[in-house]
PDB file of all heavy atoms in Angstrom:
ATOM      1  N   GLU R   1     -21.335 -11.918 -45.205  1.00 78.00           N
ATOM      2  CA  GLU R   1     -21.340 -10.467 -45.027  1.00 78.00           C
ATOM      3  C   GLU R   1     -20.972  -9.803 -46.350  1.00 78.00           C
ATOM      4  O   GLU R   1     -20.180 -10.337 -47.118  1.00 78.00           O
ATOM      5  CB  GLU R   1     -20.326 -10.058 -43.951  1.00 78.00           C
ATOM      6  CG  GLU R   1     -20.661 -10.598 -42.574  1.00 78.00           C
ATOM      7  CD  GLU R   1     -19.558 -10.301 -41.553  1.00 78.00           C
ATOM      8  OE1 GLU R   1     -18.662  -9.491 -41.851  1.00 78.00           O
ATOM      9  OE2 GLU R   1     -19.617 -10.887 -40.472  1.00 78.00           O
ATOM     10  N   PRO R   2     -21.539  -8.618 -46.626  1.00 75.00           N
ATOM     11  CA  PRO R   2     -21.209  -7.937 -47.879  1.00 75.00           C
ATOM     12  C   PRO R   2     -19.804  -7.340 -47.836  1.00 75.00           C
ATOM     13  O   PRO R   2     -19.338  -6.898 -46.784  1.00 75.00           O
ATOM     14  CB  PRO R   2     -22.255  -6.835 -47.991  1.00 75.00           C
ATOM     15  CG  PRO R   2     -22.679  -6.582 -46.589  1.00 75.00           C
ATOM     16  CD  PRO R   2     -22.552  -7.896 -45.860  1.00 75.00           C
ATOM     17  N   ALA R   3     -19.143  -7.363 -48.964  1.00 77.00           N
ATOM     18  CA  ALA R   3     -17.824  -6.740 -49.083  1.00 77.00           C
ATOM     19  C   ALA R   3     -18.001  -5.398 -49.780  1.00 77.00           C
ATOM     20  O   ALA R   3     -18.341  -5.343 -50.953  1.00 77.00           O
ATOM     21  CB  ALA R   3     -16.889  -7.635 -49.880  1.00 77.00           C
ATOM     22  N   LEU R   4     -17.816  -4.316 -49.047  1.00 73.00           N
ATOM     23  CA  LEU R   4     -17.977  -2.980 -49.600  1.00 73.00           C
ATOM     24  C   LEU R   4     -16.691  -2.192 -49.431  1.00 73.00           C
ATOM     25  O   LEU R   4     -16.051  -2.257 -48.380  1.00 73.00           O
ATOM     26  CB  LEU R   4     -19.098  -2.226 -48.878  1.00 73.00           C
ATOM     27  CG  LEU R   4     -20.495  -2.819 -48.938  1.00 73.00           C
ATOM     28  CD1 LEU R   4     -21.440  -2.006 -48.065  1.00 73.00           C
ATOM     29  CD2 LEU R   4     -20.991  -2.837 -50.364  1.00 73.00           C
ATOM     30  N   SER R   5     -16.365  -1.421 -50.463  1.00 71.00           N
ATOM     31  CA  SER R   5     -15.230  -0.516 -50.326  1.00 71.00           C
ATOM     32  C   SER R   5     -15.632   0.601 -49.373  1.00 71.00           C
ATOM     33  O   SER R   5     -16.825   0.906 -49.239  1.00 71.00           O
ATOM     34  CB  SER R   5     -14.850   0.070 -51.681  1.00 71.00           C
ATOM     35  OG  SER R   5     -15.853   0.971 -52.114  1.00 71.00           O
ATOM     36  N   PRO R   6     -14.689   1.231 -48.718  1.00 69.00           N
ATOM     37  CA  PRO R   6     -15.040   2.339 -47.823  1.00 69.00           C
ATOM     38  C   PRO R   6     -15.788   3.460 -48.543  1.00 69.00           C
ATOM     39  O   PRO R   6     -16.722   4.039 -48.005  1.00 69.00           O
ATOM     40  CB  PRO R   6     -13.687   2.827 -47.304  1.00 69.00           C
ATOM     41  CG  PRO R   6     -12.794   1.633 -47.405  1.00 69.00           C
ATOM     42  CD  PRO R   6     -13.270   0.887 -48.620  1.00 69.00           C
ATOM     43  N   GLY R   7     -15.404   3.738 -49.793  1.00 67.00           N
ATOM     44  CA  GLY R   7     -16.083   4.786 -50.558  1.00 67.00           C
ATOM     45  C   GLY R   7     -17.534   4.449 -50.828  1.00 67.00           C
ATOM     46  O   GLY R   7     -18.420   5.294 -50.683  1.00 67.00           O
ATOM     47  N   LEU R   8     -17.781   3.209 -51.222  1.00 71.00           N
ATOM     48  CA  LEU R   8     -19.153   2.784 -51.481  1.00 71.00           C
ATOM     49  C   LEU R   8     -19.964   2.771 -50.198  1.00 71.00           C
ATOM     50  O   LEU R   8     -21.121   3.196 -50.176  1.00 71.00           O
ATOM     51  CB  LEU R   8     -19.167   1.402 -52.141  1.00 71.00           C
ATOM     52  CG  LEU R   8     -20.540   0.829 -52.479  1.00 71.00           C
ATOM     53  CD1 LEU R   8     -21.325   1.770 -53.376  1.00 71.00           C
ATOM     54  CD2 LEU R   8     -20.388  -0.535 -53.129  1.00 71.00           C
ATOM     55  N   ALA R   9     -19.363   2.317 -49.131  1.00 71.00           N
ATOM     56  CA  ALA R   9     -20.053   2.303 -47.839  1.00 71.00           C
ATOM     57  C   ALA R   9     -20.456   3.721 -47.433  1.00 71.00           C
ATOM     58  O   ALA R   9     -21.582   3.947 -46.955  1.00 71.00           O
ATOM     59  CB  ALA R   9     -19.180   1.670 -46.770  1.00 71.00           C
ATOM     60  N   MET R  10     -19.579   4.700 -47.659  1.00 66.00           N
ATOM     61  CA  MET R  10     -19.891   6.090 -47.312  1.00 66.00           C
ATOM     62  C   MET R  10     -21.033   6.621 -48.187  1.00 66.00           C
ATOM     63  O   MET R  10     -21.910   7.331 -47.697  1.00 66.00           O
ATOM     64  CB  MET R  10     -18.656   6.986 -47.458  1.00 66.00           C
ATOM     65  CG  MET R  10     -17.631   6.781 -46.354  1.00 66.00           C
ATOM     66  SD  MET R  10     -18.305   6.985 -44.687  1.00 66.00           S
ATOM     67  CE  MET R  10     -18.802   8.686 -44.722  1.00 66.00           C
ATOM     68  N   ARG R  11     -21.025   6.281 -49.470  1.00 65.00           N
ATOM     69  CA  ARG R  11     -22.110   6.731 -50.349  1.00 65.00           C
ATOM     70  C   ARG R  11     -23.443   6.159 -49.903  1.00 65.00           C
ATOM     71  O   ARG R  11     -24.460   6.852 -49.887  1.00 65.00           O
ATOM     72  CB  ARG R  11     -21.819   6.330 -51.796  1.00 65.00           C
ATOM     73  CG  ARG R  11     -20.740   7.176 -52.428  1.00 65.00           C
ATOM     74  CD  ARG R  11     -20.487   6.799 -53.856  1.00 65.00           C
ATOM     75  NE  ARG R  11     -21.668   7.068 -54.672  1.00 65.00           N
ATOM     76  CZ  ARG R  11     -21.780   6.685 -55.924  1.00 65.00           C
ATOM     77  NH1 ARG R  11     -20.816   6.002 -56.499  1.00 65.00           N
ATOM     78  NH2 ARG R  11     -22.865   6.960 -56.617  1.00 65.00           N
ATOM     79  N   ILE R  12     -23.447   4.903 -49.522  1.00 70.00           N
ATOM     80  CA  ILE R  12     -24.683   4.274 -49.051  1.00 70.00           C
ATOM     81  C   ILE R  12     -25.156   4.939 -47.766  1.00 70.00           C
ATOM     82  O   ILE R  12     -26.332   5.249 -47.610  1.00 70.00           O
ATOM     83  CB  ILE R  12     -24.479   2.756 -48.858  1.00 70.00           C
ATOM     84  CG1 ILE R  12     -24.293   2.078 -50.223  1.00 70.00           C
ATOM     85  CG2 ILE R  12     -25.657   2.136 -48.099  1.00 70.00           C
ATOM     86  CD1 ILE R  12     -23.830   0.643 -50.140  1.00 70.00           C
ATOM     87  N   LEU R  13     -24.233   5.171 -46.847  1.00 69.00           N
ATOM     88  CA  LEU R  13     -24.596   5.834 -45.594  1.00 69.00           C
ATOM     89  C   LEU R  13     -25.120   7.238 -45.841  1.00 69.00           C
ATOM     90  O   LEU R  13     -26.094   7.670 -45.208  1.00 69.00           O
ATOM     91  CB  LEU R  13     -23.401   5.869 -44.636  1.00 69.00           C
ATOM     92  CG  LEU R  13     -23.040   4.541 -43.994  1.00 69.00           C
ATOM     93  CD1 LEU R  13     -21.749   4.680 -43.185  1.00 69.00           C
ATOM     94  CD2 LEU R  13     -24.167   4.049 -43.110  1.00 69.00           C
ATOM     95  N   ASP R  14     -24.485   7.968 -46.758  1.00 64.00           N
ATOM     96  CA  ASP R  14     -24.957   9.314 -47.085  1.00 64.00           C
ATOM     97  C   ASP R  14     -26.377   9.273 -47.622  1.00 64.00           C
ATOM     98  O   ASP R  14     -27.211  10.105 -47.259  1.00 64.00           O
ATOM     99  CB  ASP R  14     -24.037   9.975 -48.118  1.00 64.00           C
ATOM    100  CG  ASP R  14     -22.736  10.464 -47.516  1.00 64.00           C
ATOM    101  OD1 ASP R  14     -22.642  10.554 -46.279  1.00 64.00           O
ATOM    102  OD2 ASP R  14     -21.807  10.756 -48.299  1.00 64.00           O
ATOM    103  N   GLU R  15     -26.665   8.307 -48.492  1.00 65.00           N
ATOM    104  CA  GLU R  15     -28.013   8.172 -49.035  1.00 65.00           C
ATOM    105  C   GLU R  15     -29.018   7.856 -47.930  1.00 65.00           C
ATOM    106  O   GLU R  15     -30.104   8.415 -47.878  1.00 65.00           O
ATOM    107  CB  GLU R  15     -28.068   7.082 -50.104  1.00 65.00           C
ATOM    108  CG  GLU R  15     -27.416   7.461 -51.403  1.00 65.00           C
ATOM    109  CD  GLU R  15     -28.152   8.576 -52.119  1.00 65.00           C
ATOM    110  OE1 GLU R  15     -29.401   8.566 -52.131  1.00 65.00           O
ATOM    111  OE2 GLU R  15     -27.476   9.457 -52.657  1.00 65.00           O
ATOM    112  N   LEU R  16     -28.649   6.932 -47.059  1.00 68.00           N
ATOM    113  CA  LEU R  16     -29.551   6.552 -45.975  1.00 68.00           C
ATOM    114  C   LEU R  16     -29.773   7.690 -44.993  1.00 68.00           C
ATOM    115  O   LEU R  16     -30.857   7.849 -44.451  1.00 68.00           O
ATOM    116  CB  LEU R  16     -29.016   5.315 -45.242  1.00 68.00           C
ATOM    117  CG  LEU R  16     -29.031   4.017 -46.059  1.00 68.00           C
ATOM    118  CD1 LEU R  16     -28.329   2.902 -45.286  1.00 68.00           C
ATOM    119  CD2 LEU R  16     -30.453   3.620 -46.406  1.00 68.00           C
ATOM    120  N   ARG R  17     -28.739   8.470 -44.772  1.00 65.00           N
ATOM    121  CA  ARG R  17     -28.855   9.619 -43.864  1.00 65.00           C
ATOM    122  C   ARG R  17     -29.624  10.757 -44.511  1.00 65.00           C
ATOM    123  O   ARG R  17     -30.065  11.671 -43.828  1.00 65.00           O
ATOM    124  CB  ARG R  17     -27.466  10.114 -43.471  1.00 65.00           C
ATOM    125  CG  ARG R  17     -26.737   9.200 -42.538  1.00 65.00           C
ATOM    126  CD  ARG R  17     -25.385   9.787 -42.158  1.00 65.00           C
ATOM    127  NE  ARG R  17     -24.625   8.827 -41.407  1.00 65.00           N
ATOM    128  CZ  ARG R  17     -23.325   8.597 -41.560  1.00 65.00           C
ATOM    129  NH1 ARG R  17     -22.644   9.286 -42.455  1.00 65.00           N
ATOM    130  NH2 ARG R  17     -22.712   7.695 -40.846  1.00 65.00           N
ATOM    131  N   GLY R  18     -29.732  10.704 -45.828  1.00 58.00           N
ATOM    132  CA  GLY R  18     -30.455  11.764 -46.525  1.00 58.00           C
ATOM    133  C   GLY R  18     -29.760  13.092 -46.433  1.00 58.00           C
ATOM    134  O   GLY R  18     -30.372  14.111 -46.208  1.00 58.00           O
ATOM    135  N   ASN R  19     -28.443  13.093 -46.635  1.00 58.00           N
ATOM    136  CA  ASN R  19     -27.691  14.333 -46.482  1.00 58.00           C
ATOM    137  C   ASN R  19     -27.990  15.345 -47.585  1.00 58.00           C
ATOM    138  O   ASN R  19     -27.550  16.468 -47.531  1.00 58.00           O
ATOM    139  CB  ASN R  19     -26.190  14.059 -46.396  1.00 58.00           C
ATOM    140  CG  ASN R  19     -25.578  13.675 -47.723  1.00 58.00           C
ATOM    141  OD1 ASN R  19     -26.262  13.346 -48.681  1.00 58.00           O
ATOM    142  ND2 ASN R  19     -24.267  13.718 -47.783  1.00 58.00           N
ATOM    143  N   GLY R  20     -28.757  14.929 -48.594  1.00 62.00           N
ATOM    144  CA  GLY R  20     -29.223  15.880 -49.582  1.00 62.00           C
ATOM    145  C   GLY R  20     -28.212  16.333 -50.601  1.00 62.00           C
ATOM    146  O   GLY R  20     -28.389  17.373 -51.205  1.00 62.00           O
ATOM    147  N   SER R  21     -27.136  15.601 -50.816  1.00 69.00           N
ATOM    148  CA  SER R  21     -26.202  16.020 -51.845  1.00 69.00           C
ATOM    149  C   SER R  21     -25.725  14.835 -52.665  1.00 69.00           C
ATOM    150  O   SER R  21     -25.734  13.697 -52.205  1.00 69.00           O
ATOM    151  CB  SER R  21     -25.009  16.761 -51.248  1.00 69.00           C
ATOM    152  OG  SER R  21     -24.185  15.874 -50.542  1.00 69.00           O
ATOM    153  N   ARG R  22     -25.348  15.159 -53.877  1.00 73.00           N
ATOM    154  CA  ARG R  22     -24.787  14.179 -54.799  1.00 73.00           C
ATOM    155  C   ARG R  22     -23.511  14.773 -55.351  1.00 73.00           C
ATOM    156  O   ARG R  22     -23.389  15.980 -55.490  1.00 73.00           O
ATOM    157  CB  ARG R  22     -25.735  13.916 -55.968  1.00 73.00           C
ATOM    158  CG  ARG R  22     -27.060  13.358 -55.570  1.00 73.00           C
ATOM    159  CD  ARG R  22     -27.105  11.871 -55.907  1.00 73.00           C
ATOM    160  NE  ARG R  22     -28.221  11.248 -55.249  1.00 73.00           N
ATOM    161  CZ  ARG R  22     -29.339  10.893 -55.843  1.00 73.00           C
ATOM    162  NH1 ARG R  22     -29.492  11.107 -57.118  1.00 73.00           N
ATOM    163  NH2 ARG R  22     -30.302  10.317 -55.164  1.00 73.00           N
ATOM    164  N   ARG R  23     -22.588  13.927 -55.669  1.00 74.00           N
ATOM    165  CA  ARG R  23     -21.345  14.395 -56.266  1.00 74.00           C
ATOM    166  C   ARG R  23     -21.334  14.040 -57.739  1.00 74.00           C
ATOM    167  O   ARG R  23     -21.732  12.952 -58.115  1.00 74.00           O
ATOM    168  CB  ARG R  23     -20.151  13.763 -55.573  1.00 74.00           C
ATOM    169  CG  ARG R  23     -20.066  14.179 -54.124  1.00 74.00           C
ATOM    170  CD  ARG R  23     -18.626  14.443 -53.753  1.00 74.00           C
ATOM    171  NE  ARG R  23     -18.556  15.013 -52.435  1.00 74.00           N
ATOM    172  CZ  ARG R  23     -18.340  16.298 -52.208  1.00 74.00           C
ATOM    173  NH1 ARG R  23     -18.162  17.122 -53.197  1.00 74.00           N
ATOM    174  NH2 ARG R  23     -18.277  16.759 -50.989  1.00 74.00           N
ATOM    175  N   VAL R  24     -20.902  15.002 -58.549  1.00 78.00           N
ATOM    176  CA  VAL R  24     -20.737  14.747 -59.969  1.00 78.00           C
ATOM    177  C   VAL R  24     -19.277  14.961 -60.314  1.00 78.00           C
ATOM    178  O   VAL R  24     -18.619  15.839 -59.758  1.00 78.00           O
ATOM    179  CB  VAL R  24     -21.644  15.644 -60.846  1.00 78.00           C
ATOM    180  CG1 VAL R  24     -23.101  15.320 -60.622  1.00 78.00           C
ATOM    181  CG2 VAL R  24     -21.376  17.106 -60.607  1.00 78.00           C
ATOM    182  N   LEU R  25     -18.756  14.135 -61.184  1.00 76.00           N
ATOM    183  CA  LEU R  25     -17.379  14.258 -61.633  1.00 76.00           C
ATOM    184  C   LEU R  25     -17.366  15.183 -62.831  1.00 76.00           C
ATOM    185  O   LEU R  25     -17.990  14.909 -63.856  1.00 76.00           O
ATOM    186  CB  LEU R  25     -16.805  12.893 -62.004  1.00 76.00           C
ATOM    187  CG  LEU R  25     -15.376  12.897 -62.521  1.00 76.00           C
ATOM    188  CD1 LEU R  25     -14.428  13.460 -61.456  1.00 76.00           C
ATOM    189  CD2 LEU R  25     -14.951  11.493 -62.913  1.00 76.00           C
ATOM    190  N   VAL R  26     -16.666  16.305 -62.683  1.00 75.00           N
ATOM    191  CA  VAL R  26     -16.610  17.310 -63.732  1.00 75.00           C
ATOM    192  C   VAL R  26     -15.176  17.389 -64.249  1.00 75.00           C
ATOM    193  O   VAL R  26     -14.244  17.555 -63.458  1.00 75.00           O
ATOM    194  CB  VAL R  26     -17.050  18.689 -63.191  1.00 75.00           C
ATOM    195  CG1 VAL R  26     -17.033  19.722 -64.290  1.00 75.00           C
ATOM    196  CG2 VAL R  26     -18.428  18.597 -62.558  1.00 75.00           C
ATOM    197  N   PRO R  27     -15.002  17.273 -65.565  1.00 68.00           N
ATOM    198  CA  PRO R  27     -13.656  17.352 -66.130  1.00 68.00           C
ATOM    199  C   PRO R  27     -12.946  18.628 -65.698  1.00 68.00           C
ATOM    200  O   PRO R  27     -13.542  19.705 -65.699  1.00 68.00           O
ATOM    201  CB  PRO R  27     -13.900  17.355 -67.640  1.00 68.00           C
ATOM    202  CG  PRO R  27     -15.245  16.749 -67.814  1.00 68.00           C
ATOM    203  CD  PRO R  27     -16.024  17.109 -66.586  1.00 68.00           C
ATOM    204  N   ASP R  28     -11.710  18.500 -65.310  1.00 71.00           N
ATOM    205  CA  ASP R  28     -10.851  19.619 -64.911  1.00 71.00           C
ATOM    206  C   ASP R  28     -11.318  20.352 -63.655  1.00 71.00           C
ATOM    207  O   ASP R  28     -10.772  21.370 -63.294  1.00 71.00           O
ATOM    208  CB  ASP R  28     -10.696  20.638 -66.054  1.00 71.00           C
ATOM    209  CG  ASP R  28     -10.199  20.002 -67.335  1.00 71.00           C
ATOM    210  OD1 ASP R  28      -9.345  19.107 -67.256  1.00 71.00           O
ATOM    211  OD2 ASP R  28     -10.678  20.388 -68.411  1.00 71.00           O
ATOM    212  N   ARG R  29     -12.381  19.834 -62.994  1.00 71.00           N
ATOM    213  CA  ARG R  29     -12.868  20.474 -61.773  1.00 71.00           C
ATOM    214  C   ARG R  29     -13.019  19.472 -60.635  1.00 71.00           C
ATOM    215  O   ARG R  29     -13.341  19.847 -59.533  1.00 71.00           O
ATOM    216  CB  ARG R  29     -14.216  21.152 -62.044  1.00 71.00           C
ATOM    217  CG  ARG R  29     -14.105  22.337 -62.985  1.00 71.00           C
ATOM    218  CD  ARG R  29     -15.478  22.896 -63.296  1.00 71.00           C
ATOM    219  NE  ARG R  29     -15.398  23.994 -64.220  1.00 71.00           N
ATOM    220  CZ  ARG R  29     -15.448  23.882 -65.531  1.00 71.00           C
ATOM    221  NH1 ARG R  29     -15.560  22.708 -66.089  1.00 71.00           N
ATOM    222  NH2 ARG R  29     -15.384  24.940 -66.300  1.00 71.00           N
ATOM    223  N   GLY R  30     -12.855  18.195 -60.917  1.00 76.00           N
ATOM    224  CA  GLY R  30     -12.987  17.169 -59.889  1.00 76.00           C
ATOM    225  C   GLY R  30     -14.440  16.923 -59.531  1.00 76.00           C
ATOM    226  O   GLY R  30     -15.333  17.088 -60.342  1.00 76.00           O
ATOM    227  N   ASN R  31     -14.662  16.543 -58.291  1.00 82.00           N
ATOM    228  CA  ASN R  31     -16.016  16.277 -57.807  1.00 82.00           C
ATOM    229  C   ASN R  31     -16.674  17.572 -57.367  1.00 82.00           C
ATOM    230  O   ASN R  31     -16.082  18.370 -56.664  1.00 82.00           O
ATOM    231  CB  ASN R  31     -15.988  15.313 -56.618  1.00 82.00           C
ATOM    232  CG  ASN R  31     -15.722  13.895 -57.054  1.00 82.00           C
ATOM    233  OD1 ASN R  31     -16.289  13.431 -58.027  1.00 82.00           O
ATOM    234  ND2 ASN R  31     -14.851  13.209 -56.342  1.00 82.00           N
ATOM    235  N   VAL R  32     -17.922  17.754 -57.792  1.00 86.00           N
ATOM    236  CA  VAL R  32     -18.700  18.931 -57.407  1.00 86.00           C
ATOM    237  C   VAL R  32     -19.944  18.431 -56.692  1.00 86.00           C
ATOM    238  O   VAL R  32     -20.630  17.533 -57.184  1.00 86.00           O
ATOM    239  CB  VAL R  32     -19.092  19.766 -58.649  1.00 86.00           C
ATOM    240  CG1 VAL R  32     -19.992  20.917 -58.261  1.00 86.00           C
ATOM    241  CG2 VAL R  32     -17.841  20.266 -59.364  1.00 86.00           C
ATOM    242  N   ALA R  33     -20.234  18.996 -55.526  1.00 86.00           N
ATOM    243  CA  ALA R  33     -21.409  18.593 -54.753  1.00 86.00           C
ATOM    244  C   ALA R  33     -22.632  19.365 -55.234  1.00 86.00           C
ATOM    245  O   ALA R  33     -22.636  20.592 -55.235  1.00 86.00           O
ATOM    246  CB  ALA R  33     -21.186  18.841 -53.272  1.00 86.00           C
ATOM    247  N   LEU R  34     -23.641  18.637 -55.668  1.00 88.00           N
ATOM    248  CA  LEU R  34     -24.925  19.223 -56.034  1.00 88.00           C
ATOM    249  C   LEU R  34     -25.980  18.668 -55.095  1.00 88.00           C
ATOM    250  O   LEU R  34     -25.874  17.529 -54.646  1.00 88.00           O
ATOM    251  CB  LEU R  34     -25.307  18.844 -57.471  1.00 88.00           C
ATOM    252  CG  LEU R  34     -24.397  19.295 -58.601  1.00 88.00           C
ATOM    253  CD1 LEU R  34     -24.938  18.784 -59.935  1.00 88.00           C
ATOM    254  CD2 LEU R  34     -24.251  20.799 -58.628  1.00 88.00           C
ATOM    255  N   SER R  35     -27.001  19.465 -54.829  1.00 86.00           N
ATOM    256  CA  SER R  35     -28.118  18.929 -54.055  1.00 86.00           C
ATOM    257  C   SER R  35     -28.807  17.860 -54.900  1.00 86.00           C
ATOM    258  O   SER R  35     -28.618  17.798 -56.124  1.00 86.00           O
ATOM    259  CB  SER R  35     -29.111  20.037 -53.697  1.00 86.00           C
ATOM    260  OG  SER R  35     -29.834  20.433 -54.846  1.00 86.00           O
TER     261      SER R  35
END
């Protein structure tokens, strides 16, 4: 069985679900959700 961190598992699920957003890490602003 694959060993996935919960964060990675959520990213994969989000991609498969096609939720239409990506997160970018922005200095001094944290994660920002972009389509």
Side-chain angles (χ1 to χ4, degrees):
E1 296 174 12
L4 299 175
S5 70
L8 180 57
M10 286 305 297
R11 286 181 65 188
I12 291 169
L13 287 174
D14 284 345
E15 287 293 319
L16 292 173
R17 288 182 187 139
N19 74 345
S21 71
R22 299 255 166 104
R23 296 221 172 257
V24 294
L25 179 61
V26 182
D28 305 322
R29 293 176 182 90
N31 285 316
V32 175
L34 298 179
S35 72

